[in-house]
Structures are given as C-alpha cells and as structure tokens.
Amino acid sequence: IYTKYYGICMFPLYQVNAKPLVIAHRGGAGLWPENTLFALQEAAKLGADLSEIDIHMTRDGVLVAIHDESIDRTTNAKGLVQDLTLAELKKLDAGYRWTNDEGRTFPFRGQGIKIPSLNEIFAAFPKQVINIEIKQNDPPIVAALRELINQYNKTKQVLVSAFNSRTMKVVRRLCPNIATAGTEAEMDRFSKLSKLFLTRPFLLSAAALEVPYEMVTGHFVKAAHKKNIRVDAWTVNEVEDMERLLALEVDGILTDFPDRMLSLVRKTESVQPK
C-alpha cells in the first residue's frame, strides 16, 4: 500500500488516515525461526507489510541477521557471532531450537534454515521495506550498513533503529538520507513530555518512534502525529492489546504473530461502512 511513496520520500512516513502497518517482528518469531530468510519470505506470503530484523557482524566483516550477540539461543552450536566467519555460521542450523510447544517438538530442525547475511535479504527483497535494528555497537557496523544500503539502492526502503544513542548519532551523521527511529533516551523523554503536553519545542530527528506497547497512550500518539512522526508499537502478541493500540491510531504494530494482526485488520475492514 505504500509503494507509490518509494520514489519521493524515505521509509513510509506518518500519513493521516493511513492503514496501520503489520510488521513481522524478527520475521514473525512466533511462527517461524526468527531472523531467517525463511521467516521473512513466509511473512511476506502471509501479507505482512514488512519485517523487522536485527543485525550483527561476523569476524570476516559480513552483516548477518541475528538478535543475540551469541548463537547459543537459536542454533545447534555456541559462540559469539563476531568470533565466527560467515562460512562457519552457514554450517549451523538456525531452525534448531525453534519450538511452539515448550520444547516437545522442534519442527524446523534439519530443514536447511540458515542465518542469512544482509546481502541475501536485500537481494531477496529488492522492493520491500525492511526495518533494521542495529544490535552490535562495538566494534561499530554503521559504515558497513551504509555501504550495503547504497549498494542495493535501499535508501528509501529501510528504517534503521538502535537503542544506543552513540550508535544512532553515527547513523544520522553517516546516513542523513535514511529514515531512523528514536533512541531509547529520545522515546523516554518524548513520553514524559507528552504527559505534560510539552512536546512542541522538543526537536526530534527520528521519522518514527518505536516504543514498547505499554508506553503508548493517546497523548503520546497525538503528540507524535503533530510532529509528523509515526508511532510503531512493539512487541504486541495479544489481540486485545492490538485492538487497544489500533483504537489509539498507532501507525504500525510489531508482532511475533503477524497472522493475528492481519486477521484483526481484515476483520476491522470488513465491518467498516463503505
């Protein structure tokens, strides 16, 4: 639904009366092995507007999609991402530990699901918007990210986020044409000011505020929209919470279960008067 904006602006900006984006958190971590090419492809087939991924860098300087600094939680091995080469990571089973029944079954083991490089993701999704969170702060990986974004002409199709203020400062300096999300410090300050109705003089370089769903209030959303800043809430997995946030007119919802969010959006659309 946002394709028409690709040529004239950055990542989908706040639009009055726009449909909320269904954002598959880590590609839909509740449905498939997180941060994998398989997950992103399945989320796209399902109808999610975009996926959110996390990135680290390997020992040989390749950006890869993985949430943790180690491979312990999601693969059949142990170790730090930055201590391993891409070739070593590619030998691992990224679906090994995924389970949705508390460990009774592991349906994605041995299915050939690997940790993907960011190159692979960009190549697989040349036109799709991608939400990228920088997890690694030291050594810095912003310059490598900028190079890849430029190489694949993704400048207008990414939203880059980082909780770390120093990392985000580098992103905004090196990548002035790329949309960014607010840092943790910026979110906290904006939230406090919104409760006091004092956000008007607050200067914010972000195109979006990605906030924990518990933080979202009507005041917060309205204050952000007055500054033409979108509000995306995370990580929202219960339908009841999704309904509350939609009523508050958030612009996007990051969820491990994009199927639930899509069902709710379609249900809402079907009952609206035409």
Side-chain angles (χ1 to χ4, degrees):
I1 56 176
Y2 285 94
T3 306
K4 63 183 179 181
Y5 298 115
Y6 287 165
I8 58 172
C9 73
M10 296 186 291
F11 178 92
L13 305 180
Y14 166 62
Q15 301 281 331
V16 179
N17 298 323
K19 292 181 181 179
L21 294 182
V22 178
I23 306 170
H25 181 241
R26 304 183 198 171
L31 302 176
W32 309 286
E34 65 181 58
N35 278 308
T36 62
L37 196 56
F38 175 80
L40 271 63
Q41 289 168 335
E42 292 300 308
K45 289 179 190 174
L46 194 66
D49 293 292
L50 65 144
S51 284
E52 179 265 358
I53 61 172
D54 310 281
I55 60 170
H56 285 268
M57 180 179 278
T58 65
R59 181 159 59 88
D60 51 343
V62 180
L63 295 178
V64 292
I66 188 168
H67 180 274
D68 302 352
E69 64 179 13
S70 79
I71 58 175
D72 302 16
R73 181 175 60 84
T74 55
T75 78
N76 56 329
K78 294 184 182 296
L80 296 176
V81 175
Q82 58 184 273
D83 288 342
L84 300 166
T85 65
L86 179 65
E88 289 170 329
L89 288 180
K90 285 298 184 181
K91 295 177 182 177
L92 308 180
D93 186 346
Y96 190 81
R97 298 191 183 278
W98 191 93
T99 179
N100 62 353
D101 55 13
E102 299 181 344
R104 288 190 291 275
T105 62
F106 298 88
F108 292 105
R109 280 186 180 179
Q111 300 299 309
I113 298 175
K114 306 295 182 182
I115 295 171
S117 67
L118 190 56
N119 299 63
E120 291 176 89
I121 291 173
F122 281 173
F125 297 97
K127 296 182 179 180
Q128 186 170 346
V129 172
I130 299 175
N131 187 333
I132 302 170
E133 181 174 349
I134 299 173
K135 286 294 187 183
Q136 180 176 320
N137 300 306
D138 187 33
I141 62 176
V142 177
L145 176 60
R146 177 184 63 174
E147 184 177 331
L148 265 189
I149 290 173
N150 289 337
Q151 179 184 336
Y152 284 90
N153 296 314
K154 300 291 285 186
T155 303
K156 302 181 191 304
Q157 298 173 354
V158 293
L159 175 74
V160 176
S161 64
F163 278 131
N164 185 282
S165 296
R166 284 182 297 129
T167 296
M168 183 52 72
K169 188 175 181 180
V170 175
V171 171
R172 290 173 180 162
R173 178 170 55 83
L174 293 182
C175 315
N177 296 323
I178 292 171
T180 61
T183 63
E184 189 170 23
E186 288 171 334
M187 288 187 295
D188 288 341
R189 189 177 178 199
F190 194 87
S191 177
K192 290 173 183 175
L193 290 173
S194 72
K195 294 173 184 176
L196 300 171
F197 300 94
L198 293 175
T199 54
R200 180 179 291 181
F202 182 45
L203 297 177
L204 196 59
S205 300
L209 287 168
E210 293 189 327
V211 296
Y213 71 92
E214 300 92 343
M215 184 186 287
V216 179
T217 65
H219 291 319
F220 187 97
V221 174
K222 289 177 182 176
H225 287 175
K226 284 181 179 178
K227 289 183 170 291
N228 293 318
I229 295 171
R230 59 178 296 115
V231 177
D232 297 329
W234 57 265
T235 302
V236 192
N237 292 333
E238 302 303 323
V239 173
E240 186 177 303
D241 294 319
M242 294 175 184
E243 290 175 331
R244 179 183 75 85
L245 292 162
L246 290 177
L248 293 177
E249 299 184 346
V250 297
D251 304 286
I253 289 180
L254 290 85
T255 176
D256 292 329
F257 298 93
D259 55 338
R260 297 177 185 175
M261 178 64 182
L262 285 162
S263 295
L264 179 59
V265 170
R266 289 163 184 162
K267 179 182 176 182
T268 303
E269 290 175 348
S270 68
V271 299
Q272 287 180 341
K274 296 183 179 180

